[in-house]
């Protein structure tokens, strides 16, 4: 519904994508089956947040935090599920598809 999108998001409707969580990397924040709205025009990880990234030949949800400034800037890449390791990467080494701006979950 375009009116709902206009009312609830600052982004243009054409930049918004629906995505269903398939993996457990972001549990307990996001769970399998959760429906997400991704803003494909919002790819800058400042402020920190949850992003959809291209990783290992597929899409993955990661919490990204920009650390440092300028040429020294790095990305801290994390999963909320502590079974997965965090790592740092170069700012240009992570292919960001967009920022998670909304989610819903079946009760």
């Amino acid at each position: 519904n375009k009116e709902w999108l206009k009312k609830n998001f600052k982004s243009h409707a054409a930049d918004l994508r629906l995505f269903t969580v398939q993996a457990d990397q972001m549990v307990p924040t996001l769970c399998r089956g959760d429906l997400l709205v991704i803003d494909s025009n919002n790819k800058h990880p400042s402020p920190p947040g949850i992003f959809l990234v291209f990783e290992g030949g597929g899409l993955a949800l990661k919490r990204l935090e920009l650390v440092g400034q300028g040429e020294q800037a790095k990305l801290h890449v994390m999963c909320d599920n502590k079974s997965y390791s965090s790592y740092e990467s170069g700012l240009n080494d992570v292919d960001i598809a967009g920022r998670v701006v909304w989610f819903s979950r079946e009760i």
Side-chain angles (χ1 to χ4, degrees), residues 4-90:
W4 184 83
L5 291 174
K6 283 182 186 180
K7 179 181 173 187
N8 291 288
F9 300 101
K10 297 175 185 174
S11 307
H12 296 284
D15 294 329
L16 301 174
R17 306 286 184 267
L18 290 177
F19 183 82
T20 302
V21 177
Q22 301 292 320
D24 66 348
Q25 292 136 322
M26 294 307 293
V27 168
T29 308
L30 299 172
C31 302
R32 282 188 178 111
D34 288 354
L35 182 65
L36 310 178
V37 174
I38 309 291
D39 182 349
S40 65
N41 194 44
N42 188 340
K43 299 180 181 185
H44 190 65
S46 181
I50 300 173
F51 292 81
L52 186 64
V53 300
F54 295 101
E55 183 178 75
L59 293 168
L61 292 164
K62 300 290 182 180
R63 187 174 296 280
L64 301 180
E65 179 180 5
L66 186 61
V67 180
Q69 297 177 347
E71 291 183 24
Q72 303 295 332
K74 298 260 185 213
L75 275 180
H76 191 68
V77 181
M78 303 161 277
C79 295
D80 289 0
N81 184 336
K82 299 305 177 197
S83 298
Y84 294 88
S85 299
S86 297
Y87 61 92
E88 284 199 355
S89 182

